[in-house]
């Protein structure tokens, strides 16, 4: 029997995909389609928007409306789509470089506006597509092709940025935790407002190799070993100390959730209020 | 029914866009274009549209592209520095064949330049600003009334050709007020209804170039839109034949449709005269005045050619129209950007003299008369 998830893949000649053997992005794609399937989303109601990078190639394999935009510009493009098609689930998908370097200002402003988008950030600690250069999430002290003497810069904490900017939902998972990842994506899609899922993913071709972590499987073992689900932590210590990859723990789960009026709702309300006021 | 209104060029542009069906505006304030955004912020919600002030011009052009890909007619307005920031997005709209309108009410440059002073320095940026080979369509009004009409034209051309269209304006025209007749309704081109069943639909089909039946997100066609060079189905390719097909397709959509511009893209008077003035936008207003003074003083006519469309540059017709001139004077508020095109178009034996001004002041009729 054909699995329901195949309904969300373009099987008419798009495969095999271009990702390296052992890359985590395929797992994320799979988690996405399982999430769509679990949520029973009609293909016609989904638009997946990406920028440029390995992670941004995912939409091209999905059987729905897909939008492969410029490097860093997925979020403003997605805002346009969402306002034109408010009934659609608009999902932004991209790399840490795409969304947090060149696209950072769009990211924080979309969070501030609390526009109803789900933003899946593939954090593989480097720029994959351009060949393994430093990214805003490369841990301080790790090696990349443009930090051959070890990265002197501190890495971003995506959770804190998201929270500060006004996102209403933040979850983290890893490519080792495929089932967990799917649940996080589902929760994010169901959440009204700007929701963020950070996925720790392996780029064995560059980050794994250069830092001598090993191949895809080795990196997955690493994620398994280092991860701890936030719910299992004592309440007092939750969110208190984010230890960082590669030395410390990777805290996964729903790390932040709040509620606030969504952009479109407040836009419509204001406009209607104005008319009623004028009589 | 037409209505008489006192409007600025910027307001007329915004009103034209609204009447032509724009329902999405994303922009970032910059003098001297801001009144367009302010007008849209006020008016769009009343017709169920959206106005967004984005975090920058890069976000603006991309939101415009997203909105149009989602089915809303969309535009942005800016000035030089913002226009530069939008270039990558404009190229994306060319490649992905997403219609949209970009208005650039120019200011003096380079860099932050002269925020409240006029200049016509972005003529070449409008043609070649973004990377890669592609045609561009750029309209250029010289009055408030034309700011209205050419905005409507620009939007219709953009939809018909499935590409971004640029409206270049001058600060003088943007901020000047004139009484104009605004028709209640304007002619609006809408993309054709789709005939093919969804399974057979190709977003970049051979017969789906201009005057096309292209789909947008949310209609159930499950389209893939990308800035990568793509096949007819929208997916990326490195096949040299398909790359050539795509590039040819972009070129052809303008080349096949040059007749769309005929009859309105130029204004000309007395071109059989020995001396001919060539200008566009605000500079053409000074040239027109110089013509009046010259004819009164010297008792003989002088030719006048004004462009409403600067790109695609009508080189063949310019060469025909100016073939009997003994002297051509190109008036522009830059260092000779379109003058070069005129010079290339006309018989090399005809001297082409330029009257340029780049100090933020309007060219005067006297300066033009000085070289005649
Ligand atoms: C304006 C611009 N600058 C640079 C590039 C080159 N570029 C392509 S992908 C990329 C970064 C990809 O890294 P990331 O977003 O982390 O995604 P990954 O490939 O790791 O999934 C860069 C810099 C580009 N395409 N456009
Ligand atoms: S370069 Fe890295 S991120 Fe890109 S496909 Fe290969 S393994 Fe994956």
């Amino acid at each position: 029997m054909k699995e329901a998830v195949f309904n969300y893949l373009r099987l008419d000649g798009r495969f095999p995909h271009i990702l390296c053997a052992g890359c985590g992005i395929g797992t994320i794609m799979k988690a996405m389609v399982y999430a769509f399937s679990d949520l029973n989303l009609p293909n016609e109601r989904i638009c997946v928007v990406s920028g440029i990078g390995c992670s941004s190639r995912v939409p091209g394999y999905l059987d729905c409306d897909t939008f492969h935009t410029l490097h860093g510009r997925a979020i403003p493009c997605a805002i346009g789509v969402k306002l034109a098609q408010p009934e659609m689930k608009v999902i932004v998908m991209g790399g840490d470089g795409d969304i947090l370097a060149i696209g950072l200002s769009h990211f924080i402003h979309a969070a501030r506006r609390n526009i109803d988008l789900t933003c899946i950030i593939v954090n593989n600690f480097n720029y994959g597509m351009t060949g393994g250069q430093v990214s805003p999430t490369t841990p301080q002290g790790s090696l990349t092709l443009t930090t051959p003497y070890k990265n002197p810069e501190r890495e971003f904490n995506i959770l804190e940025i998201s929270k500060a900017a006004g996102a209403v939902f933040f979850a983290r998972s890893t490519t080792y935790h495929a089932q967990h990842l799917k649940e996080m994506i589902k929760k994010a899609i169901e959440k009204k407002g700007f929701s963020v899922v950070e996925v720790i993913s392996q780029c064995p071709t560059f980050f794994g190799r250069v830092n001598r972590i090993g191949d895809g499987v080795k990196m997955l073992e690493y994620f398994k070993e280092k991860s701890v689900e936030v719910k299992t932590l004592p309440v007092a210590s939750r969110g208190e100390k984010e230890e960082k990859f590669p030395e410390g723990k990777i805290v996964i789960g729903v790390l932040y959730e709040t509620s606030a009026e969504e952009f479109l709702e407040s836009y419509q309300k204001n406009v209607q209020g104005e008319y009623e006021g004028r009589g | 029914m037409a209505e008489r209104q006192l409007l600025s060029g910027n307001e007329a542009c915004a009103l034209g866009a609204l009447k032509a069906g724009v329902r999405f505006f994303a922009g970032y304030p910059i003098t001297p274009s801001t009144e367009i955004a302010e007008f849209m912020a006020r008016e769009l919600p009343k017709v169920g549209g959206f106005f967004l002030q984005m975090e920058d011009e890069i976000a603006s052009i991309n939101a415009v592209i997203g909105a149009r890909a989602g089915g809303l007619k969309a535009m942005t307005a800016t000035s030089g520095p913002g226009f530069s920031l939008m270039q990558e997005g404009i190229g994306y709209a060319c490649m992905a064949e997403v219609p949209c309108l970009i208005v650039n009410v120019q200011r003096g440059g380079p860099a932050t330049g002269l925020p409240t002073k006029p200049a016509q320095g972005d003529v070449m940026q409008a043609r070649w600003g973004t990377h890669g080979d592609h045609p561009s369509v750029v309209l250029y009004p010289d009055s408030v009334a034309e700011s209205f009409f050419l905005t409507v034209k620009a939007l219709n051309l953009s939809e018909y050709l499935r590409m971004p269209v640029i409206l270049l304006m001058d600060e003088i025209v943007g901020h000047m007020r004139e009484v104009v007749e605004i028709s209640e309704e304007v002619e609006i081109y809408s993309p054709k209804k789709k005939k093919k069943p969804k399974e057979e639909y190709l977003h970049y089909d051979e017969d789906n170039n201009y005057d096309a039946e292209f789909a947008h997100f949310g209609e159930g066609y499950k389209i893939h839109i990308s800035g990568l060079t793509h096949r007819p189905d929208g997916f990326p390719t490195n096949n040299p034949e398909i790359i050539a097909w795509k590039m040819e397709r972009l070129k052809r959509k303008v080349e096949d449709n040059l007749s769309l511009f005929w009859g309105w893209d130029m204004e000309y008077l007395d071109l059989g005269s020995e001396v001919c003035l060539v200008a566009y936008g605000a500079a053409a207003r000074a040239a027109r005045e110089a013509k009046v003074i010259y004819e009164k003083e010297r008792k003989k006519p002088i030719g006048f050619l004004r462009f409403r469309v600067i790109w695609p540059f009508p080189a063949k017709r310019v060469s025909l129209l100016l073939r009997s001139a003994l002297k051509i004077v190109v008036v522009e508020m830059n260092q000779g950007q379109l003058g070069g095109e005129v010079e290339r178009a006309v018989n090399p034996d005809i001297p082409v003299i330029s009257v340029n001004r780049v100090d933020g002041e309007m060219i005067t009729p006297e300066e033009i008369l000085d070289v005649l």
Side-chain angles (χ1 to χ4, degrees), chain A residues 8 36 39-47 63-64 89:
Chain A
Y8 295 97
F36 296 164
L39 294 173
N40 255 321
L41 296 180
N43 303 49
E44 293 75 19
R45 286 267 146 269
I46 311 170
C47 184
D63 194 27
C64 53
K89 291 284 184 193

Side-chain angles (χ1 to χ4, degrees), chain A residues 10 14 44 57 60 63 65-68 70 73 76-77 79-81 83-85 105-106 109 113 263 267 275, chain B residues 46 49-55 58-59 62-63 66-67 70 92 216-218 220 222-228 235:
Chain A
R10 298 196 200 253
R14 289 287 299 140
E44 293 75 19
R57 287 302 186 99
D63 194 27
D65 281 331
T66 47
F67 200 6
H68 188 216
L70 291 165
R73 312 305 168 198
C77 286
I79 289 175
V81 175
L83 296 188
Q85 296 290 338
S105 135
H106 309 316
H109 285 282
R113 293 184 178 108
F263 171 82
Y267 187 93
Y275 288 133
Chain B
K46 296 185 190 167
F50 293 99
F51 169 87
L52 279 188
Q53 183 172 313
M54 299 302 288
E55 51 276 15
I58 300 177
N62 285 287
Y92 182 92
H216 59 70
F217 293 145
K222 298 189 280 192
I223 45 178
H224 183 64
I225 299 185
S226 172
L228 288 170
F235 291 102

Side-chain angles (χ1 to χ4, degrees), chain B residues 12-319:
Chain B
C13 166
L15 190 59
L18 201 67
K19 293 214 178 215
V22 165
R23 291 297 176 268
F24 186 91
F25 183 107
Y28 190 80
I30 182 167
T31 305
S33 75
T34 312
E35 294 81 8
I36 301 175
E38 289 166 355
F39 184 103
M40 286 307 206
R42 222 165 40 236
E43 298 303 323
L44 274 176
K46 296 185 190 167
V47 293
F50 293 99
F51 169 87
L52 279 188
Q53 183 172 313
M54 299 302 288
E55 51 276 15
D56 56 34
E57 288 85 352
I58 300 177
S60 304
I61 182 71
N62 285 287
V64 161
I65 292 168
R68 183 61 191 87
L72 289 182
K73 276 197 193 170
M75 72 175 289
T76 184
T78 186
S79 185
F83 191 56
S84 296
L85 286 181
M86 288 179 187
Q87 291 301 336
E88 192 193 17
I90 295 172
Y92 182 92
C94 289
M95 180 58 111
E97 304 186 33
V98 179
C100 57
L101 172 66
I102 303 110
V103 180
N104 174 1
V105 189
Q106 295 157 94
R107 59 203 249 165
T112 317
L114 298 161
T116 53
K117 297 240 182 194
Q120 301 184 316
D122 300 347
V123 165
M124 282 298 168
Q125 190 185 194
R127 174 67 190 92
W128 293 114
T130 186
H131 56 286
D133 278 323
H134 63 90
S136 25
V137 173
V138 181
L139 313 190
Y140 211 130
D142 85 330
S143 67
V144 173
E146 262 187 22
S147 302
F148 180 86
F149 292 125
L150 292 190
T151 300
V152 175
K153 276 263 190 221
L155 281 155
N156 285 342
L157 280 167
S158 166
E159 293 289 324
Y160 184 91
L161 299 172
R162 256 183 100 174
M163 64 181 282
V165 167
I166 294 162
L167 186 79
L168 267 193
M169 289 187 36
D170 291 317
E171 183 275 336
I172 293 167
V173 174
H175 281 159
M176 162 175 89
R177 289 185 171 271
E178 288 179 322
V179 174
V180 288
E181 296 249 338
I182 299 290
S183 40
E184 197 100 324
E185 305 238 333
V186 298
E187 210 175 302
I188 301 177
Y189 171 84
S190 294
K192 282 199 177 139
K193 285 272 168 296
K194 290 166 282 294
K195 299 180 293 283
K196 282 196 182 151
K198 286 182 179 161
E199 312 75 58
E200 284 170 36
Y201 174 83
L202 292 176
H203 199 54
Y204 306 93
D205 207 349
E206 197 45 35
D207 59 0
N208 203 0
N209 189 359
Y210 44 82
D211 196 15
E213 41 175 286
F214 62 95
H216 59 70
F217 293 145
E219 288 185 299
Y221 282 81
K222 298 189 280 192
I223 45 178
H224 183 64
I225 299 185
S226 172
L228 288 170
T229 305
H230 43 256
R231 317 181 299 211
D233 61 4
F235 291 102
T237 184
N238 275 324
N239 177 329
E241 264 174 51
I242 305 177
I243 298 169
W245 164 82
K246 176 72 196 187
M247 296 304 284
E248 183 66 21
R249 174 185 165 91
L250 294 183
K251 191 157 77 112
R252 246 186 30 225
K253 65 168 73 191
V254 173
E255 282 188 354
D256 286 1
N257 287 296
L258 292 178
S259 62
L260 285 179
F261 302 95
W262 296 348
W264 62 274
D265 64 341
M266 287 185 268
E267 176 197 352
Y268 42 82
L269 299 163
D270 305 319
L271 289 186
S273 317
E274 286 174 10
V275 182
C276 288
L277 293 171
V278 178
Y280 50 94
R285 298 175 76 97
R288 205 185 274 109
E289 183 67 19
K291 174 176 161 67
V292 172
I293 301 171
Y294 180 93
E295 288 170 355
K296 210 153 110 197
E297 283 176 357
R298 314 228 187 147
K299 307 270 183 282
K300 62 173 178 184
I302 184 170
F304 175 78
L305 172 63
R306 174 172 75 90
F307 299 106
R308 287 193 188 92
V309 176
I310 58 167
W311 306 113
F313 186 75
K316 282 206 182 102
R317 283 177 303 131
V318 165
S319 121

Side-chain angles (χ1 to χ4, degrees), chain A residues 7-227:
Chain A
N7 296 336
Y8 295 97
L9 295 175
R10 298 196 200 253
L11 298 170
D12 49 353
R14 289 287 299 140
F15 287 88
H17 58 66
I18 63 156
L19 306 166
C20 305
C23 175
I25 296 171
T27 310
I28 302 169
M29 173 155 76
K30 189 166 170 186
M32 284 169 77
V33 297
Y34 273 95
F36 296 164
S37 178
D38 280 10
L39 294 173
N40 255 321
L41 296 180
N43 303 49
E44 293 75 19
R45 286 267 146 269
I46 311 170
C47 184
V48 186
V49 188
S50 68
I52 298 293
C54 298
S55 327
S56 292
R57 287 302 186 99
V58 166
Y61 304 104
L62 301 177
D63 194 27
C64 53
D65 281 331
T66 47
F67 200 6
H68 188 216
T69 72
L70 291 165
H71 189 38
R73 312 305 168 198
I75 287 175
C77 286
I79 289 175
V81 175
K82 181 68 189 177
L83 296 188
Q85 296 290 338
E87 301 303 316
M88 289 186 97
K89 291 284 184 193
V90 182
I91 296 155
V92 173
M93 148 112 200
D96 42 282
D98 188 80
I99 294 175
L100 300 171
I102 192 164
L104 179 66
S105 135
H106 309 316
F107 176 79
I108 56 184
H109 285 282
R112 176 179 64 81
R113 293 184 178 108
N114 194 27
I115 190 149
D116 186 25
L117 300 175
T118 297
C119 184
I120 301 173
I121 305 176
V122 179
N123 182 359
N124 57 15
F125 308 106
N126 77 149
Y127 285 15
M129 181 147 275
T130 41
Q133 299 82 12
V134 70
S135 91
T137 53
T138 304
Q140 188 168 22
S142 0
L143 294 166
T144 71
L145 294 194
T146 47
T147 51
Y149 305 105
K150 293 188 175 172
N151 180 20
E153 300 170 7
R154 290 171 301 161
E155 67 280 7
F156 262 152
N157 182 325
I158 312 177
L159 166 63
E160 294 303 329
I161 294 175
S162 306
K163 244 161 71 174
V168 290
F169 178 94
F170 183 96
R172 189 186 291 129
S173 192
T174 85
T175 45
Y176 174 79
H177 303 81
Q179 193 66 22
H180 179 268
L181 171 58
K182 180 190 78 175
E183 293 305 321
M184 295 300 112
I185 294 174
K186 275 164 64 180
K187 282 195 160 79
I189 292 175
E190 284 187 302
K191 180 79 186 183
K192 186 138 193 128
F194 192 78
S195 53
V196 184
V197 180
E198 174 189 357
V199 193
I200 307 290
S201 176
Q202 72 276 23
C203 173
T205 306
F206 296 111
F207 194 77
R209 183 173 53 81
V210 174
N211 287 286
R212 303 217 166 77
I213 306 171
D215 63 6
V217 177
K218 276 267 157 45
M219 292 189 82
L220 284 176
E221 280 167 0
Y222 214 95
F223 297 160
K224 175 187 174 196
E225 199 180 295
K226 298 284 174 183
S227 297

